[in-house]
Amino acid sequence: MYSYLLALHIIFIVTWFSGLFYIVRLFIYAVEAHEKKKPEMVAQLNIMAKRLWLGITWPSAILTAVFGPLVMWKGGWLDSFGQQDWLHVKLGFVILLYFYFYSLHRIYKQQQKGIFRISSQKLRIWNEVATVFLIAIVMLAVVKNALSWLWGLLGLAGVVVLLLAAIKIYKNARKS
């Protein structure tokens, strides 16, 4: 039973993250279409966003939240919960990920109403937040207590710097 629950949990994590990565791309394209005064393209992107967000991303987020605790329960992780520092940190990142998810939901609702408050450049940066969460959560889940806190934080900071540099390089490349 545990293996099936774990498999389902992983499947819904993957589909949830797929939705998180793609929805922000749709937000970016919608902002750029809005700036270019292309309402028909904005309308099409809003339809795509609605189908992705409500048909895949939201259900996957809910099912991830359902299967995660079941995996912890059936895997016996709750018995030694107080002794697993890595799990506390991972769950902290998961909670922050749900806050990030909520922030995307707010952007989704705004764009569905034709409100575009965030620039495409800021959305590109915001898109990479999911990458940071994915790396942190997977590393904690796989490496567990073998990961040094110092090296883990330095590695995560390095990833953030690389992502921001890549965004800057891409912005400069788009301008030329």
Side-chain angles (χ1 to χ4, degrees):
M1 178 72 157
Y2 171 77
S3 297
Y4 291 105
L5 292 172
L6 182 59
L8 288 169
H9 181 59
I10 292 169
I11 288 165
F12 290 115
I13 290 169
V14 170
T15 58
W16 185 29
F17 267 98
S18 296
L20 292 176
F21 287 129
Y22 191 48
I23 194 73
V24 183
R25 296 303 316 163
L26 292 175
F27 293 163
I28 292 165
Y29 299 148
V31 166
E32 291 174 352
H34 176 72
E35 290 170 353
K36 293 177 182 176
K37 310 264 189 266
K38 295 186 176 182
E40 67 286 343
M41 188 178 288
V42 172
Q44 180 61 42
L45 290 164
N46 279 346
I47 291 168
M48 293 168 65
K50 184 176 184 177
R51 290 176 180 163
L52 172 67
W53 196 244
L54 301 178
I56 296 171
T57 312
W58 257 102
S60 297
I62 292 166
L63 290 168
T64 295
V66 167
F67 286 109
L70 288 173
V71 166
M72 290 174 58
W73 174 57
K74 280 300 208 182
W77 296 8
L78 297 177
D79 299 336
S80 59
F81 184 76
Q83 302 161 349
Q84 299 185 51
D85 291 339
W86 70 271
L87 185 56
H88 300 145
V89 176
K90 178 188 169 246
L91 292 175
F93 276 111
V94 170
I95 290 167
L96 291 173
L97 178 62
Y98 275 95
F99 280 112
Y100 172 74
F101 174 66
Y102 176 71
S103 78
L104 295 182
H105 186 71
R106 290 184 63 206
I107 296 168
Y108 163 79
K109 285 172 54 176
Q110 288 174 355
Q111 287 199 354
Q112 290 293 308
K113 294 176 184 173
I115 301 167
F116 300 92
R117 290 190 176 132
I118 304 173
S119 71
S120 61
Q121 181 64 23
K122 287 181 182 175
L123 285 169
R124 281 185 173 82
I125 294 168
W126 200 233
N127 192 41
E128 299 308 327
V129 172
T131 304
V132 174
F133 280 123
L134 179 64
I135 291 168
I137 291 167
V138 170
M139 289 300 289
L140 284 161
V142 173
V143 181
K144 296 182 175 53
N145 287 327
L147 182 67
S148 158
W149 291 105
L150 175 62
W151 287 110
L153 289 174
L154 288 175
L156 203 55
V159 166
V160 169
V161 168
L162 286 173
L163 290 172
L164 291 175
I167 291 168
K168 180 111 171 122
I169 291 166
Y170 179 73
K171 180 182 179 183
N172 291 338
R174 284 186 69 205
K175 284 183 179 179
S176 57

